[in-house]
Structure formats: structure tokens, C-alpha cells
Amino acid sequence: QMQLVESGGGLVQPGGSLRLSCAASGSIFSVYDMGWYRQAPRKQRDLVARLTGSGFTNYADSVKGRVIISRDNAKNTVYMQKNSLKPENKAVYYCNARLSYGIGWKDDWGQGTQVTVAS
């Protein structure tokens, strides 16, 4: 099982940027697909970005051009740079580690980090 600890959240002004980090431990980081999800108040948890172990990325349509996901396998860390933040981006952001095998996959989650966008 992968343990995940997010950091980098907080209060950001509209139009600003932030970088979230997720430190992983407990398993072989490089084989995991890593992702960031967000959950706004009273909303479901949705994918923001994912970066596979082989280097493929996919982004939610709503964030394309404003979000970059990256990973450092030597540091067992995944990052998400988010630019041009808007008040509606306020949410808890969760780090996800997905291990795919055969016909299924297994997800591990971090505890989440709050991001608030306000002036």
C-alpha cells in the first residue's frame, strides 16, 4: 500500500498560482500512475490530472493549459502546478496512486489539502 502526503495548499489570490506536492512511500513509486483529484464543497471527487508511470498525461478539459502534472521518481513525489486560479477552484485536492494489474486496479489516497482562492 502506498502512503501519500500532500502539501502546498492554502489561500491563493485570484489569478495566482500554486504548486501542490505529494510525497509517496511504502511501495515502488515508479510503477504507479499518479493523479490529482479535487472535491469542491457538496460535489463529487473529480480527476484533475494523471501522469502514468510510463510518462503519459491526461488532464480534465476544464484545466487544460492551466495545469501541469509532473513527477520525480528519485524523490517519490508528484507535483501539480496550477496557474490562473479562480475562486471556483476552491476545493480539497487529493493525491491518488493507482496500481494497475490484469483486469483491475488499486487506488490509494492522501488525506487531501485545502486550496482556497480569494482576495
Side-chain angles (χ1 to χ4, degrees), residues 16-95:
S17 301
L18 57 74
R19 188 174 83 154
L20 301 181
S21 301
C22 173
S25 61
S27 193
I28 303 174
F29 180 75
S30 61
V31 303
Y32 279 74
D33 298 341
M34 300 301 297
W36 288 96
Y37 286 70
R38 67 183 172 200
Q39 187 166 20
R42 298 175 296 280
K43 298 286 182 67
Q44 66 181 22
R45 190 177 298 187
D46 292 323
L47 175 70
V48 179
R50 177 173 286 126
L51 174 56
T52 69
S54 54
F56 291 100
T57 58
N58 68 289
Y59 295 95
D61 287 342
S62 61
V63 303
K64 286 181 179 176
R66 297 190 295 114
V67 168
I68 298 173
I69 187 171
S70 60
R71 64 193 294 165
D72 185 336
N73 288 343
K75 295 182 178 180
N76 288 358
T77 301
V78 62
Y79 306 96
M80 181 172 70
Q81 176 75 30
K82 197 165 187 182
N83 302 318
S84 302
L85 285 161
K86 307 172 185 178
E88 54 262 39
N89 296 141
K90 174 183 176 179
V92 178
Y93 286 77
Y94 294 91
C95 181

